Every structure is written in structure tokens, then in C-alpha cells.
Amino acid sequence: MSLLRCEAVAKSFGGLQALAGVQFEVGAGEIVGLIGPNGAGKSTLVNTITGVHRPEHGSITFDGHEVTRLAPERITRLGVARTFQIPQPFHTLSVLENVMVGVAFGARGASLERAAREAAELLEFVGLADKAHHEPQALTIIELRRLELARALGSGARLLLLDEIHAGLTPKELEEARELLQRLRARGVTILMVEHLMQIIMAVCERIVVLEFGRKIAEGTPAEVAADPEVIRAYLGTRRAGGARAAGA
Amino acid sequence: MGLDAASLLQVLVWGLVVGSIYVLLATGLTLIFGVMKLVNFAHGELMMWGAFLTILIAQSTGVNPYVAMIGSTAAVGLLGVAIERLGFRPLRGTAKINEIFLSIALILVLQNALARFFVPYFRENAQIRTPYATEYFSLGLVNLRYDFVILLAVAWAITFGLWFVLFHTAPGRDVRATSQNRAAALLMGIDVRRIDMLCFGIGSALAALAGSLYGVVNPFSPYAGTIPAIKAFAVIILGGLGSVPGAVLGGLLYGVVESFGTFFLGGSWRDAIAFVLLIVVLMVRPQGIFREGA
Amino acid sequence: MSRAAAARVRRRRTLPVALAMLVAGGVVAALVREQFVLQVLTYVFIFAIYAQSWNIAAHSGQFSLGHATFLGLGAYASVLLAGRLGLPAAVAMFVGPLLPALAGLAIARLCLRLREWYFGMVTFGFTAIVQVLVVEPFGGLTNRWDGLDAAPLWAGGRAIETIAILNYLTALALMVGSYLLAARLMNSKSGLALAAIHDNEVVAAVSGVNVRTHRLMAMTLSGYVAGVAGALNSHTLTRHISPGIFGIEDSIWPLLYTIAGGLRIPEGPILGTLVVRVFWEWALRALGGFESLVVIGLALAVIVTTFPQGLYVLAARAAGWAGPRLARRAR
Ligand SMILES: Nc1ncnc2c1ncn2[C@@H]1O[C@H](COP(=O)(O)OP(=O)(O)OP(=O)(O)O)[C@@H](O)[C@H]1O
Ligand SMILES: [Mg+2]
């Protein structure tokens, strides 16, 4: 059964067609990768699914609910959560309070006291427990991404949309991140992850969707996608070609 | 008041005169906003300082007020540079509301410092007396005051001069670059802090000139500048924050609309017209008519 | 004490602070016999309520530059209810402010998509528009530019001194009430939502916060509290209202008082109003009218350029009990 279904989703900015009829599904419990060259429309797709942007055409359903024109908070409360490609913490709140916002107002709608407890647990889970009462300004970029993750998890997500949370990690950190993803899956969270790093995509995703210029150009298992001539062509003229080839080899 | 062509034409001329003053105010504000992304709400106080200094210089030296304006404009320009250096620069990078706070504190300082000298001298209102105050051109339907003609000539000469500097010289290019993307301008080796100072100085000088011209056609008090400057700010929001063409077009258009609006609706409405317009436009386009920084 | 513990202590401290303010205010009332001092303090209490209302809106990131709309509408509604319908001033004072609450709701609704300068200018603009509405279409009711006399809150053959004390105590009690309201709100779950909206509306929304209702709620409440301050002011201190209330001055004072004291901190508006106003009264006597305002302006400029977090955080630092949460808020 599919948890998320996008049908013919189109979104444009002025004259620029950022999404031109994208169609795909994510099944419950899956980890799906969303890849594509810079500007392919990956973040726009995440924004559209979460209600930050409204698509001009197409429909998006989550768990049987039509969410295409819902306000972002309604979609979140249904159980969709996301991180932002550029971490955007609430800068006048503490790290703990950042996560509390998600817990208090997300799908579970906890009281402030419960939110504080659960937020502390989530910080433990992502490895930020010792920073709970720091201000976000004091965090490194990698810690900020983990904070994004904790806030998103806090809102009670059944579907988690991760927008490039692994960029710039060292091999050791990547290994930790991969473990974290496995633990998430063990919690029963479905994940759609945007990523440029083929290494992690190949390692954790069951299925990959490839976007280019706002269109889906390929979909399949990691092995299928890596061998797809369209994908190789799309990646060749770009900076990331090396990564794609290396991973496919 | 009949609805005859002559009075309508008179209203139009007044609209152009007032509009030209708004153009100077709005251009100064938008120049500052473009590079520094801040609004000095005390712009109107700088304006009245300009008018006051013009009278002071003209009376103490006996020169023509239009010549005295050169001195008052330069003096207020320097005052602007000092305000930027000592006040706004230390606030760079803190919350926006701090800049609003500072500019409001500056209203208190500049307005009351002016009143301190002004009130014993003029009591409530003053006006800049030019040698042409009672001379008129006859243009068929309307009589045009000499001062109106001079005012329009001065305002538009300065506006076009500024336009030329901005779009056809190297310093102008640096200002536009800083306005479009401060970080990139810094990387290109532009001294953005000097640009800040320059723009704040020029913006303040333009306010002083606007004030002096205002003082030629209106009686004024130390408190007369606040509302026109805030309306000029409404104009630059409508024209697109940071956009000089937007400020020029917007200021002129607004002057005419206000003039006709006041004529048809009555004087009480004069100040409200700008904001009704602003609200209606922002409801439709929350980012103004032109985009920010255009 | 760890930083976490400090943050928790800050959360619990509202009731003792409220009591301390009541006691201190009461002691002053018992000791001071000078009319003038009582009057200045009454002004401080009333404008602290008004500044607190601005602070509530600011907590959600809605920085109004036209709060005089609410102050004025509250005053007019209350004075008219008391004058035309004969309602006791003590009742009108709380019923009348429903009008500015409604205005707050309407303005917030219209400005939902606006922030920063755009929000500030539109709220400012409404003050100019409301002024014209009060003078022109409703001129018959409001007596145009001449304004209306306000019924006294405390009357009935009491001595002037007694009335002054009663006014003072009423204002003190209402100020403490507005403090508790703001403090409770900021420390509540809704307060967390408002702070999140202040920081980033998009992230707040995708975290499940209903940005719209929270923004509307904050401005409605703010409008009501500002209205109470306006009504209280006209029934006690000024005893008269005129359209001049919808001027720039009355819109900028709450902003200056709050930021000087500490933005988005419930104690901020109170401390700011007290310090600025008392300093001003002193300067007025020592220096004269224009000079005192110049000095106030300069002092405020110095505060913001050297210590943008405001006097409360400065004092708390000096006393050694500023939690990290406090310092963050006031940024
Ligand atoms: N808010 C916006 N306004 C205008 N154009 C936008 C906006 N958001 C995205 N775009 C444009 O839409 C296109 C797709 O952008 P998007 O951010 O979705 O790409 P992406 O696949 O996430 O790229 P990257 O790998 O660099 O993150 C780009 O051309 C981008 O410039
Ligand atoms: Mg992206």
C-alpha cells in the first residue's frame, strides 16, 4: 500500500517550470531516494508535498488523504515532517525548545511538559542531549542538521522528507548517519530522502527516483538506476558525475 | 470650488510640485534602504533641519535662499554621515527592530534639538521667503508661481543628476552592486561600508533639499517633516524597496493622487490617502509593485 | 545553578514578581504624599500596560508601528459607553476595549502575509485612517477635533488626594494583571508557538503550528490590552480624549519603552517605562522641555547601540541570575 502518492504534480516560478508533472509513490516502511542534478526540482518537490508551495496541477495524497491544497500545519499533523536543505532553527529558542515546537504542535499535540520530556529523548536519539540548553547559534552545521531531524521527528512523522542532510559529512559521520537511518526505519518511519551522495543512497535506499528539469527520468532499484543510460547522461555533464559513476561502478 | 478646467489644472500643478518633493524624499530613502536594508524614520527630521538651516544661512548672509540651500544640504549630508557612523553601523547584524528603535530615538533628538532653536525664533511656523514669492507666469488657464518653476527645475535636475551618477559612473555601479548583493559586492572588492556612509550622506542631503523646497511652498514647524517622510516610505514600499526608478515614478504619481484626493475628499483625508493606497496595493502584492532591490 | 535550572527558575518566577510589584507599589502609596509623584507613577503603570500590549504582539514577530489605533479606540469606546450610555466607567473600561480587540483581529487578518517593514507601515497607516474615520464619518459622535470629556473612574465626593491614590492603585493592579497575563502567555504552549512564528513562519508551519490563528490571537489580545490602557488613561489622568491620540507619538512610546526595558520579556515594558519616564521627569526639571527630550533620545540611542538586549537583561546580568533563555529572547 502506498503511503505517499504524487500524480502529475506541476509547479512553476514565473516562467521557470520547476516541476513538470511528477508522478511516483512511496510505500509504507520504504526508504526511497530522490536524486537529480542541481536545480532538478528536488527541494521544490519536498516543498510542494509539505504545503509550503502550492502546485498548479496534479494531486498529492498521503495515507489516503488528499493533501494537495492543505495548509502546511494540517499536512504536518497528518504525519508528514521534513528537514530543510539549509537548516533553519528557531534562533531565539533553545535547542530543546526547537524540538519542543515539533512535539507540542505536530501530529501528537503534546502538552508543554510532555513536549519537554519527549524533546529531551529525541535530542538523546540524535546525539544532541548535551546541547539541549544551548542556543542554535552555538551549533555546527552538522549539529544543526541533526536538530532539524529531531524537530521533524518530534512532530510525530510517519513520513519523513529529508533534504540533503548528509552533505559534507566525513566517512565516520556518514557511518553514524547511516546507523541513525536504520534506527529510524526500525521505528517504522517511512523516508523519502533527497541526496547527492550516492554512497549513502546506494547503501540505504530500496528504490530511487531520479529527477531532471522537473521531470522524473528514471525510477528503480539502486542497481537499475545506476545502469540507466538516461541517468548516466543526465549526470555526465554535471559536477556530480564523478560521484554517480563511482557509485555505479 | 468649481470643477472647471482651471482649478483642475491648478490641482495638477500642485500635485507635481508636491510629487517632486516626495521624489527627493523617496529617492533618498530608497538609496539608503538599497544598500543598508534599513529605514531611517528620522528622515523627516533631517528634512526640517534642511529647511531651517536654509533660512538661517539666507538670513545671516543675505544670499538668495536657493543658494543657501547648497550650504544646508551639504551640512545635513555630513550630519547623515555622522549618524550612520555612530548610530546605525554599530547595530549592523542585530535585530531589525533595533534599527527602528534607533531611528525613532533620533526623531526625538533631531526634532527637539531643532525646536530648541526654532521656537524662540519663529514660534510656531516659518516659511522660506524667496525674492520671487509674488511673481507669476501666466499660462493661459493657470497662473504659475515662479517658485514652482524653480522648485521643479531644481528637484528634477538633482534627480536626473543622481540617475546619471548611479547608472553611468563607477561609484554609481558600486552602489548598485552593493544594493543587489552585499556579499558579492564585498567579494568584488567594493568597500561596502564606505558605500553605506556615502548613501546615507546623500540620502540625508536629499532630505534636506526636499525640506528646503517644502519650506518655500509651505509654512513649516520642526514637527512638519515626520508625516511626509513616512509617506515617502509608503511610496518606496509601493515602488519596491531599494528601487530608484520605483521611488521616482511612485513619488510623482503619489503627489498627484494626493493632490486630487485632497481636492475631492477634503483636507482631513490628506494623510490617510497614502495609507489606503499602500494597504490596497499590499493586499494584492505583498512585496510591492516592483520587487525588492529591482 | 546550571543553565537549564536557571531557565526553569525563570519560568516559575512570575507570581512572586507580581506580588513584589504590588507590595512595592503599595508601600510607595503609603509613604509618598506628593500628588506629583503619584501622578507620574500612575502614568508609568498605565503606559506599562500599553507597552506590554505592544510586547505581546512583538512576541509573535508582529512589530506594530501603529499601536495608537488600539489605545485610541479603547479610549473612545469606553468614554462613549460611559458618556452616552451611562455605563459606569469601571465597566466601560473593560467593555470598550472589545472594539480595539476587534480592530486588532481585523488588522492582523489583513496583514497576515506581511512582515517587517510592510507590517509596520500598514499598522502605522491604519492609525492615520482611523483618525480620519473618527473625525469625519463619526464626527457627530466624537465631537471631531475638539474631542470629549471622560467620566472619572473614581468620583462621588471624594477628596482629590483620595482620588489620586485610588487611580494609582487601580493602575498598579491592572499593570500587575497585564504582567501576569503576558508572562503566563509567553511561558505557555501558545507562547512557544508565538516565539516560533517570530523566528520563522515557514518552519513553524511545517512543525504543525497554526501560524494564522496564533498571529490573529496575539494581535486581538494586544488590541484589547492596549484598549484598556487607553480607557484607563482617559478616565483617570487626562479626563479628556481627542483625535490627537492617533498620532505618531503614542505609537512610538510603547516601542521605545519596551525595547529599552527588554523586548519579549514580560518585565521589560514595566522596567523600560519606569526608567525612561522617571529619567525624563527628572530631565524635564533639570534641563527644560526640548532639552529633556533630546537627552532622552540620546540616552535611548546609547542604550540600543551599546546594549541592544535592554535594561532588564543588563540588570539581571549584574545580579547574576540571567538565564540563557532570557538573553536569547531579547535579541
Ligand atoms: N522560491 C523560488 N522562487 C523561484 N525559483 C525557485 C524557487 N525555488 C526554487 N526555484 C527554482 O526552481 C528550480 C528547482 O529548484 P530546487 O531547489 O527544487 O532544485 P534542487 O533539485 O533541490 O537543487 P539542489 O540540488 O541544488 O538543491 C531551480 O531552477 C530554482 O532556481
Ligand atoms: Mg535542493
Side-chain angles (χ1 to χ4, degrees):
Chain A
M1 193 207 82
S2 75
L3 189 63
L4 174 75
R5 180 203 300 263
C6 291
E7 272 173 65
V9 173
K11 170 77 199 169
S12 59
F13 298 107
L16 182 101
Q17 194 73 39
L19 295 175
V22 176
Q23 193 123 357
F24 73 99
E25 292 184 12
V26 178
E30 267 192 304
I31 298 188
V32 175
L34 180 61
I35 65 170
N38 288 107
K42 305 180 295 292
S43 297
T44 304
L45 187 59
V46 172
N47 282 333
T48 310
I49 294 170
T50 52
V52 173
H53 293 328
R54 283 203 177 167
E56 285 99 29
H57 299 289
S59 100
I60 303 168
T61 46
F62 172 73
D63 196 23
H65 301 273
E66 170 82 37
V67 299
T68 323
R69 297 199 197 299
L70 283 193
E73 68 272 12
R74 302 274 304 277
I75 298 174
T76 303
R77 288 181 199 165
L78 285 174
V80 181
R82 64 168 296 177
T83 65
F84 286 86
Q85 183 167 358
I86 298 164
Q88 305 186 38
F90 301 116
H91 60 273
T92 67
L93 297 181
S94 71
V95 167
L96 183 75
E97 287 170 322
N98 264 269
V99 183
M100 281 169 65
V101 175
V103 183
F105 295 95
R108 283 170 298 174
S111 72
L112 218 47
E113 289 67 32
R114 225 185 83 202
R117 270 202 312 278
E118 289 189 20
E121 282 166 28
L122 282 163
L123 286 177
E124 191 86 45
F125 182 72
V126 299
L128 279 180
D130 55 329
K131 301 277 165 74
H133 297 285
H134 287 213
E135 40 188 276
Q137 278 92 329
L139 301 190
T140 65
I141 179 81
I142 288 159
E143 288 170 332
L144 283 174
R145 293 219 196 95
R146 290 202 223 144
L147 174 58
E148 286 269 318
L149 184 63
R151 182 188 47 70
L153 281 173
S155 62
R158 284 183 289 151
L159 172 66
L160 197 54
L161 308 172
L162 304 177
D163 198 350
E164 296 204 32
I165 61 167
H166 299 118
L169 297 191
T170 65
K172 183 171 159 287
E173 287 160 346
L174 262 183
E175 196 43 52
E176 285 171 20
R178 197 173 132 181
E179 250 170 55
L180 191 66
L181 284 174
Q182 300 298 356
R183 276 188 286 149
L184 278 179
R185 162 188 264 171
R187 286 183 159 209
V189 180
T190 307
I191 296 172
L192 175 65
M193 53 190 281
V194 175
E195 205 53 74
H196 277 302
L197 284 175
M198 292 306 280
Q199 190 187 341
I200 192 141
I201 287 271
M202 291 304 209
V204 301
C205 295
E206 285 123 48
R207 216 149 50 76
I208 295 176
V209 174
V210 190
L211 285 188
E212 188 195 18
F213 296 125
R215 287 173 202 286
K216 184 172 82 176
I217 58 166
E219 181 176 353
T221 64
E224 284 166 4
V225 165
D228 190 304
E230 270 290 290
V231 178
I232 293 169
R233 181 200 53 73
Y235 269 87
L236 268 176
T238 74
R239 287 189 290 114
R240 314 275 181 171
R245 265 202 312 271
Chain B
M1 277 184 292
L3 257 187
D4 56 307
S7 40
L8 286 183
L9 209 59
Q10 206 69 257
V11 174
L12 177 69
V13 169
W14 180 248
L16 293 176
V17 167
V18 177
S20 304
I21 294 172
Y22 283 129
V23 168
L24 292 176
L25 282 173
T27 307
L29 279 173
T30 214
L31 206 59
I32 297 170
F33 188 92
V35 298
M36 299 176 73
K37 306 292 176 245
L38 74 79
V39 176
N40 179 17
F41 281 104
H43 206 65
E45 279 56 43
L46 293 172
M47 176 183 167
M48 277 10 277
W49 265 100
F52 177 70
L53 288 179
T54 298
I55 295 195
L56 214 61
I57 295 171
Q59 290 195 347
S60 58
T61 64
V63 298
N64 187 309
Y66 288 109
V67 178
M69 284 179 199
I70 300 172
S72 63
T73 301
V76 174
L78 287 177
L79 178 60
V81 168
I83 289 174
E84 194 279 325
R85 272 301 269 110
L86 301 174
F88 288 103
R89 188 176 295 182
L91 287 184
R92 204 169 175 83
T94 70
K96 272 271 154 293
I97 192 73
N98 289 335
E99 294 168 352
I100 298 180
F101 180 92
L102 177 62
S103 69
I104 290 176
L106 283 173
I107 293 184
L108 288 182
V109 175
L110 292 171
Q111 201 172 65
N112 291 289
L114 178 56
R116 164 77 183 71
F117 297 110
F118 185 100
V119 172
Y121 206 47
F122 298 109
R123 304 263 209 85
E124 284 189 5
N125 283 310
Q127 184 152 10
I128 298 174
R129 293 250 153 255
T130 69
Y132 331 104
T134 52
E135 295 187 42
Y136 291 86
F137 275 119
S138 179
L139 275 182
L141 277 174
V142 285
N143 286 329
L144 202 56
R145 260 178 73 180
Y146 265 38
D147 278 326
F148 285 9
V149 180
I150 300 173
L151 186 154
L152 290 173
V154 172
W156 288 94
I158 295 288
T159 304
F160 282 114
L162 191 74
W163 191 301
F164 180 82
V165 170
L166 214 47
F167 287 92
H168 296 282
T169 67
R173 193 204 53 208
D174 288 357
V175 168
R176 281 184 297 131
T178 310
S179 179
Q180 266 159 28
N181 187 334
R182 194 179 175 91
L186 198 62
L187 288 179
M188 277 162 54
I190 296 174
D191 183 352
V192 293
R193 290 173 144 209
R194 242 192 60 226
I195 301 283
D196 285 352
M197 222 157 76
L198 185 73
C199 287
F200 209 98
I202 294 176
S204 306
L206 288 174
L209 181 63
S212 301
L213 297 176
Y214 179 95
V216 171
V217 295
N218 282 306
F220 67 92
S221 77
Y223 312 101
T226 318
I227 290 281
I230 290 179
K231 284 194 271 185
F233 183 39
V235 165
I236 71 167
I237 286 183
L238 293 176
L241 287 170
S243 158
V244 172
V248 172
L249 271 176
L252 193 62
L253 256 170
Y254 174 64
V256 174
V257 169
E258 182 181 272
S259 182
F260 278 99
T262 312
F263 180 71
F264 287 113
L265 294 173
S268 300
W269 283 92
R270 201 184 59 208
D271 294 341
I273 291 169
F275 298 109
V276 171
L277 213 66
L278 178 77
I279 290 163
V280 169
V281 170
L282 285 183
M283 291 309 101
V284 185
R285 291 188 60 104
Q287 297 290 306
I289 294 173
F290 302 100
R291 255 204 353 269
E292 196 167 305
Chain C
M1 186 163 52
S2 76
R3 291 172 136 224
R8 277 197 301 275
V9 169
R10 286 274 319 119
R11 262 173 192 276
R12 283 203 212 97
R13 206 177 261 171
T14 57
L15 214 52
V17 173
L19 284 175
M21 288 193 288
L22 279 178
V23 169
V27 168
V28 169
L31 297 181
V32 174
R33 281 281 153 266
E34 275 174 84
Q35 288 297 299
F36 158 73
V37 174
L38 289 181
Q39 201 146 16
V40 168
L41 288 176
T42 308
Y43 171 94
V44 166
F45 299 153
I46 293 173
F47 273 72
I49 299 171
Y50 181 34
Q52 191 71 268
S53 81
W54 187 87
N55 197 28
I56 289 170
H59 192 56
S60 66
Q62 298 179 100
F63 295 111
S64 155
L65 295 179
H67 243 52
T69 305
F70 310 125
L71 183 81
L73 284 178
Y76 266 100
S78 177
V79 168
L80 282 170
L81 282 175
R84 303 264 160 158
L85 299 185
L87 235 56
V91 176
M93 219 168 74
F94 296 101
V95 179
L98 291 174
L99 179 67
L102 212 63
L105 179 67
I107 290 173
R109 174 64 197 80
L110 274 171
C111 296
L112 263 184
R113 292 200 295 164
L114 307 179
R115 62 212 59 171
E116 284 191 359
W117 304 109
Y118 303 97
F119 184 87
M121 284 310 289
V122 170
T123 47
F124 179 87
F126 269 107
T127 312
I129 293 169
V130 167
Q131 184 180 54
V132 176
L133 292 179
V134 164
V135 175
E136 292 287 334
F138 294 100
L141 204 59
T142 62
N143 203 14
R144 296 180 179 268
W145 290 103
D146 292 336
L148 300 161
D149 285 332
L153 179 63
W154 300 98
R158 294 185 182 89
I160 290 185
E161 292 76 24
T162 317
I163 290 178
I165 291 271
L166 287 172
N167 283 342
Y168 169 96
L169 291 175
T170 313
L172 172 67
L174 285 176
M175 178 193 77
V176 172
S178 69
Y179 163 77
L180 280 175
L181 179 77
R184 288 289 158 90
L185 175 71
M186 288 182 194
N187 286 339
S188 73
K189 189 171 154 179
S190 293
L192 184 65
L194 296 177
I197 291 168
H198 169 277
D199 288 354
N200 191 323
E201 286 189 14
V202 174
V203 182
V206 302
S207 304
V209 174
N210 191 327
V211 173
R212 185 191 162 98
T213 52
H214 279 96
R215 277 183 71 154
L216 297 185
M217 180 272 283
M219 281 290 281
T220 308
L221 187 64
S222 177
Y224 184 81
V225 175
V228 171
L232 185 60
N233 192 37
S234 48
H235 290 299
T236 58
L237 289 185
T238 64
R239 299 288 311 282
H240 183 84
I241 44 166
S242 76
I245 198 169
F246 300 104
I248 296 171
E249 286 226 343
D250 282 313
S251 283
I252 67 179
W253 285 120
L255 182 152
L256 292 179
Y257 292 147
T258 304
I259 297 179
L263 180 62
R264 302 175 71 218
I265 298 171
E267 291 84 357
I270 299 172
L271 186 66
T273 312
L274 182 69
V275 171
V276 174
R277 186 66 202 201
V278 168
F279 178 61
W280 182 6
E281 291 292 343
W282 168 80
L284 196 61
R285 260 142 214 86
L287 305 167
F290 298 131
E291 290 84 349
S292 68
L293 283 165
V294 172
V295 169
I296 288 283
L298 284 175
L300 292 173
V302 169
I303 290 179
V304 77
T305 45
T306 56
F307 204 77
Q309 291 171 333
L311 296 170
Y312 186 77
V313 175
L314 189 66
R317 285 257 172 86
W321 43 266
R325 168 194 175 83
L326 192 61
R328 267 196 313 276
R329 274 292 160 74
R331 183 162 301 124

